[in-house]
Amino acid sequence: GAVVSQHPSRVICKSGTSVKIECRSLDFQATTMFWYRQFPKQSLMLMATSNEGSKATYEQGVEKDKFLINHASLTLSTLTVTSAHPEDSSFYICSARGGGGGTSYNEQFFGPGTRLTVL
Amino acid sequence: GQQLNQSPQSMFIQEGEDVSMNCTSSSIFNTWLWYKQEPGEGPVLLIALYKAGELTSNGRLTAQFGITRKDSFLNISASIPSDVGIYFCAGNTGNQFYFGTGTSLTVIP
């Protein structure tokens, strides 16, 4: 139980294009999902908290118009990197907060991550 | 956001040795979580702790929730090469999660 998937696992795009990353909780419903960015050999940097049916809450310094988050259902959240530039290249990881399907509200379950490379 | 103090930052050990790492915070947490992340993958939850003083095992892994609720440790006994990775602690206040800076573990066969 408590499986979170992410798609795609890798994406390479040209500068100026937009990229959408999907995060799904496969066997439980997640009222809250989180989006993180991780640089090599560093910890997880929280970008935003996404609640189903409402606007995402962005961390300080994260541009909400650049990183569009949609949480349309209890099992799906999407992150769209708009007008991507090389400095957006990174490892993006989503997670889902438990609370359904035998999971605890006090736990987070992570997806496998998406490696974005912007040329 | 806030990050927890996690130590050591990195460890190089011989296969078969025991490993210990810990996390401390200035804040009180309701839950402590320990994750392992392998290269190119997302973190995987290893152990979740819910009560002060709680000691929980998962195979060769043992973790404890500090009595003050401001710290936690993770021990790995008889390390093996597949234990290699970055271990993160996380604390939950009920509303928010905070992550440690990670401990990079290298096991030398």
Side-chain angles (χ1 to χ4, degrees):
Chain A
V3 179
V4 177
S5 70
Q6 237 178 287
H7 179 79
S9 58
R10 289 179 177 272
V11 57
I12 301 173
C13 68
K14 292 183 179 179
S15 186
T17 60
S18 294
V19 174
K20 180 186 283 189
I21 303 170
E22 291 188 349
C23 178
R24 294 181 185 271
S25 55
L26 299 184
D27 49 3
F28 67 103
Q29 292 185 331
T31 306
T32 302
M33 290 186 172
F34 304 91
W35 286 96
Y36 295 85
R37 184 171 179 177
Q38 188 177 37
F39 293 102
K41 300 188 185 300
Q42 293 191 20
S43 187
L44 305 162
M45 185 184 78
L46 179 65
M47 298 175 66
T49 301
S50 164
N51 289 299
E52 185 265 338
S54 61
K55 290 184 179 180
T57 301
Y58 290 81
E59 294 298 300
Q60 191 173 5
V62 178
E63 299 176 58
K64 62 179 181 181
D65 294 331
K66 179 158 189 68
F67 299 99
L68 300 178
I69 292 173
N70 183 276
H71 193 156
S73 76
L74 288 172
T75 59
L76 174 64
S77 177
T78 60
L79 167 68
T80 301
V81 183
T82 62
S83 187
H85 287 94
E87 57 265 31
D88 298 325
S89 298
S90 192
F91 192 53
Y92 292 88
I93 313 174
C94 72
S95 71
R97 185 167 195 165
T103 60
S104 168
Y105 184 71
N106 294 310
E107 297 171 0
Q108 272 192 53
F109 302 95
F110 287 87
T114 296
R115 173 71 60 191
L116 170 63
T117 302
V118 184
L119 302 176
Chain B
Q2 176 184 332
Q3 285 199 320
L4 307 178
N5 296 315
Q6 187 171 346
S7 65
Q9 186 175 9
S10 62
M11 301 182 75
F12 294 82
I13 61 168
Q14 290 288 138
E15 182 178 358
E17 290 184 357
D18 296 343
V19 172
S20 184
M21 60 190 79
N22 70 83
C23 270
T24 59
S25 169
S26 57
S27 304
I28 290 174
F29 290 121
N30 297 336
T31 307
W32 280 96
L33 308 168
W34 284 92
Y35 293 87
K36 178 188 178 185
Q37 184 179 26
E38 297 188 20
E41 300 288 335
V44 174
L45 181 63
L46 299 173
I47 293 179
L49 302 159
Y50 298 102
K51 293 192 304 184
E54 179 183 350
L55 186 71
T56 297
S57 293
N58 178 4
R60 293 178 296 105
L61 278 60
T62 302
Q64 185 159 29
F65 194 141
I67 293 176
T68 65
R69 296 172 62 191
K70 294 183 179 180
D71 64 329
S72 177
F73 73 74
L74 174 71
N75 287 341
I76 305 173
S77 63
S79 59
I80 59 178
S82 61
D83 290 333
V84 165
I86 301 178
Y87 292 79
F88 290 102
C89 63
N92 175 26
T93 61
N95 289 324
Q96 291 188 293
F97 291 85
Y98 300 94
F99 285 84
T101 48
T103 295
S104 175
L105 177 63
T106 301
V107 180
I108 304 167

